[in-house]
C-alpha cells in the first residue's frame, strides 16, 4: 500500500551515538496503519541504550508516540479516519497464546523483539512516519496536545501497577521515587482516593511531589522512613507501596513500611545488586504481598487514553522540555537531569 515510502529515522549504531538515516518502510499490510509521528517522549528505556546500560545495536528507539493517521489498511477493524490524532503503543501481541487469552497480553508468549525500522531493532518511534498494527493505534481527542498524548504509554503502565495493588479509597500509599513514574503513580493514586507519601532523597523533587499533590514527603537518606510512616499512619504502616526507583534500599524500606496485609508492587527496573533476602515470617505473620508488573495491557492502554483527557490530572506539567527531532541527542542528555520529568521530541 505504501511501498517505496522513504522517511528520516534516528538510529543508534552504538552507545552514545545517534545517526539520522533515510530508510524505506516495508509495504504496509491490510491490518496496519501509517502514522505521521508528531511527538515522542524520552523514557529510561531509550536512555539505557544511549548510555550503554542496554545492548542490542543498531537500535531505533522511541515508544511513547503520538501522531496523525495517514493511511488505513482495509482490514483495520476500528473506526479510524485519515487525520485522526492517535497514541501509538509499539508492541507485539499475538492474541492467541495462553496469556493473551487470559488478558495478560503484556506477557504474550509470542511477542517477538519489535522491529519497526528496517535494519534496526527497537520500537522505532524516532522517525517521521511509522507503520503500526491496528491494535497498536488508539484514537485520542483532537484537543489533546501531541506532547500530552505521548504520556499514554506511561499512564498505561502505571494503571497496571495500581490495578495489581488492588488499591482502595482511603489506603495510604508509599511511592518510592519522585521521578516521572513516581509522579504518575502519585497522580493516579490520588485520583483513586489514596493518601500518598513520596519517598525521595532529592530536595527539589520532594518539593515538586508536594506541588503535584503528595500528602507527605520523606527524605529516606536523612530521615527514618519506617518511623516517619508509622507516625503518619498511627503505627500501622502503608496498605500499598510502589517501587519506582531507589534500588535495594528502597525496596527493603518499602517492605518494612507495609501494614498488615500490605502490598508492594515492584514497578521500576532493578539490577543484580538489588537482590534482597526474603524472610518467610513477613508472609506468615503480616500476610504481606510482594508482586510486580511489566509493560501494559490493551485494557490499561484503553484506560490511559481516557486519562489523557482527564482535567483533574496536571499531565502537561510533566512535559518539562521539548526538542526538535534534529536535537534528539540534547533531549537524551536533558532526560538525565533531576529537574526533568519528560523531555519530548517534536517531529515537525
Amino acid at each position: 500500500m505504501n511501498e517505496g515510502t522513504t522517511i528520516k529515522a534516528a538510529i543508534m549504531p552504538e552507545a552514545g551515538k545517534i545517526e539520522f538515516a533515510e530508510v524505506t518502510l516495508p509495504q504496509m499490510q491490510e491490518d496496519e496503519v501509517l502514522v505521521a509521528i508528531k511527538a515522542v517522549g524520552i523514557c529510561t528505556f531509550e536512555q539505557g541504550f544511549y548510555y550503554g546500560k542496554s545492548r542490542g545495536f543498531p537500535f531505533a528507539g522511541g515508544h511513547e508516540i503520538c501522531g496523525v493517521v495517514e493511511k488505513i489498511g482495509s482490514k483495520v477493524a476500528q473506526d479510524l479516519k485519515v487525520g485522526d490524532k492517535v497514541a501509538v503503543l509499539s508492541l507485539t501481541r499475538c492474541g492467541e497464546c495462553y496469556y493473551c487469552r487470559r488478558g495478560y497480553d503484556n506477557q504474550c508468549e509470542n511477542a517477538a523483539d519489535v522491529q519497526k525500522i528496517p535494519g534496526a531493532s527497537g520500537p522505532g518511534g524516532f522517525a517521521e512516519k511509522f507503520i503500526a498494527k491496528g491494535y497498536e493505534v488508539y484514537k485520542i481527542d483532537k484537543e489533546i496536545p501531541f506532547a500530552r498524548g505521548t504520556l499514554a504509554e506511561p499512564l498505561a503502565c502505571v494503571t497496571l501497577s495500581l490495578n495489581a495493588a488492588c488499591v482502595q479509597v482511603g489506603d495510604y500509599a508509599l511511592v518510592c521515587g519522585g521521578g516521572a513514574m513516581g509522579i504518575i503513580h502519585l497522580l493516579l493514586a490520588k485520583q483513586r482516593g489514596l493518601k500518598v507519601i513520596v519517598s525521595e532523597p532529592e530536595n527539589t523533587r520532594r518539593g515538586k511531589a508536594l506541588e503535584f499533590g503528595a500528602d507527605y514527603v520523606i527524605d529516606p537518606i536523612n530521615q527514618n522512613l519506617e518511623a516517619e510512616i508509622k507516625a503518619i499512619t498511627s503505627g500501622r504502616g502503608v496498605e500499598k507501596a510502589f517501587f519506582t526507583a531507589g534500588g535495594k534500599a528502597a525496596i527493603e524500606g518499602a517492605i518494612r513500611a507495609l501494614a498488615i496485609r500490605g502490598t508492594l508492587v515492584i514497578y521500576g527496573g532493578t539490577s543484580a545488586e538489588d537482590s534482597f533476602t526474603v524472610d518467610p515470617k513477613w508472609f506468615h505473620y503480616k500476610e504481606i504481598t510482594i508482586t510486580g508488573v511489566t509493560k501494559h495491557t490493551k485494557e490499561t492502554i484503553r484506560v490511559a487514553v481516557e486519562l489523557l483527557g482527564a482535567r483533574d490530572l496536571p499531565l502537561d506539567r510533566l512535559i518539562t522540555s521539548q526538542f526538535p527531532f534534529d536535537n534528539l541527542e540534547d533531549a537524551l542528555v536533558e532526560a538525565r537531569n533531576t529537574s526533568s520529568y519528560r523531555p519530548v521530541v517534536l517531529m515537525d
Side-chain angles (χ1 to χ4, degrees), residues 181-196:
M181 304 316 297
I183 295 299
I184 295 176
H185 272 85
L186 159 64
L187 293 174
L188 298 193
K190 291 293 294 183
Q191 188 187 55
R192 296 198 193 189
L194 280 68
K195 300 179 182 70
V196 181

Side-chain angles (χ1 to χ4, degrees), residues 27-295:
Q27 182 172 355
M28 195 178 106
Q29 303 302 305
E30 296 298 334
D31 62 345
E32 293 179 329
V33 180
L34 178 65
V35 177
I37 299 175
K38 299 298 182 181
V40 187
I42 301 286
C43 178
T44 53
F45 176 67
E46 284 79 21
Q47 293 177 58
F49 284 88
Y50 184 73
Y51 289 103
K53 185 178 179 180
S54 302
R55 295 287 183 268
F57 298 98
F59 173 73
H63 68 286
E64 298 179 359
I65 304 164
C66 189
V68 173
V69 172
E70 276 203 358
K71 291 183 181 179
I72 307 155
S74 62
K75 293 183 180 178
V76 173
Q78 63 179 302
D79 182 22
L80 283 178
K81 296 180 177 62
V82 171
D84 281 347
K85 186 177 288 189
V86 292
V88 183
L89 282 293
S90 184
L91 46 83
T92 303
R93 304 287 194 264
C94 75
E96 299 179 26
C97 72
Y98 176 81
Y99 295 111
C100 279
R101 288 181 169 178
R102 291 207 63 159
Y104 314 149
D105 58 276
N106 60 316
Q107 298 285 3
C108 176
E109 293 178 301
N110 301 309
D113 289 337
V114 176
Q115 185 180 42
K116 297 293 188 179
I117 300 300
S121 63
F126 295 135
E128 292 174 325
K129 296 183 182 181
F130 183 99
I131 295 175
K133 292 294 184 183
Y135 68 77
E136 297 177 299
V137 178
Y138 288 73
K139 185 176 178 179
I140 64 174
D141 191 280
K142 63 182 180 180
E143 301 301 323
I144 296 171
F146 288 115
R148 184 180 175 106
T150 65
L151 294 173
E153 196 273 348
L155 284 168
C157 294
V158 175
T159 295
L160 185 63
S161 181
L162 266 68
N163 290 353
C166 300
V167 298
Q168 299 182 46
V169 174
D171 283 347
Y172 278 87
L174 168 65
V175 176
C176 300
M181 304 316 297
I183 295 299
I184 295 176
H185 272 85
L186 159 64
L187 293 174
L188 298 193
K190 291 293 294 183
Q191 188 187 55
R192 296 198 193 189
L194 280 68
K195 300 179 182 70
V196 181
I197 305 163
V198 174
S199 172
E200 166 58 51
E202 210 279 318
N203 182 58
T204 301
R205 284 193 165 179
R206 288 198 304 276
K208 287 293 184 181
L210 288 171
E211 291 178 18
F212 275 106
D215 295 282
Y216 307 91
V217 293
I218 297 173
D219 176 355
I221 304 299
N222 297 304
Q223 293 177 279
N224 184 314
L225 180 69
E226 183 179 7
E228 293 292 330
I229 286 177
K230 291 292 178 65
I232 291 168
T233 61
S234 302
R236 292 187 303 274
V238 293
E239 286 81 15
K240 313 297 178 186
F242 302 92
F243 166 81
T244 73
K248 176 181 178 179
I251 294 172
E252 291 180 333
I255 292 170
R256 290 193 298 271
L258 288 176
I260 289 173
R261 293 207 170 189
T263 298
L264 166 63
V265 179
I266 297 179
Y267 174 92
T270 57
S271 64
E273 292 74 30
D274 298 325
S275 297
F276 59 95
T277 301
V278 174
D279 184 346
K281 291 185 176 65
W282 299 340
F283 307 100
H284 180 57
Y285 290 108
K286 291 188 68 176
E287 301 182 44
I288 67 169
T289 298
I290 301 175
T291 187
V293 292
T294 186
K295 304 175 187 175

Side-chain angles (χ1 to χ4, degrees), residues 305-342:
V305 168
E306 294 297 322
L307 291 171
L308 287 174
R311 296 189 179 187
D312 62 324
L313 292 176
L315 299 175
D316 298 319
R317 288 165 50 197
L318 286 167
I319 310 300
T320 45
S321 54
Q322 300 183 24
F323 295 83
F325 187 23
D326 288 341
N327 290 25
L328 171 59
E329 205 154 359
D330 293 337
L332 285 161
V333 172
E334 171 61 22
R336 298 200 100 185
N337 291 336
T338 57
S339 61
S340 176
Y341 291 111
R342 262 307 183 270

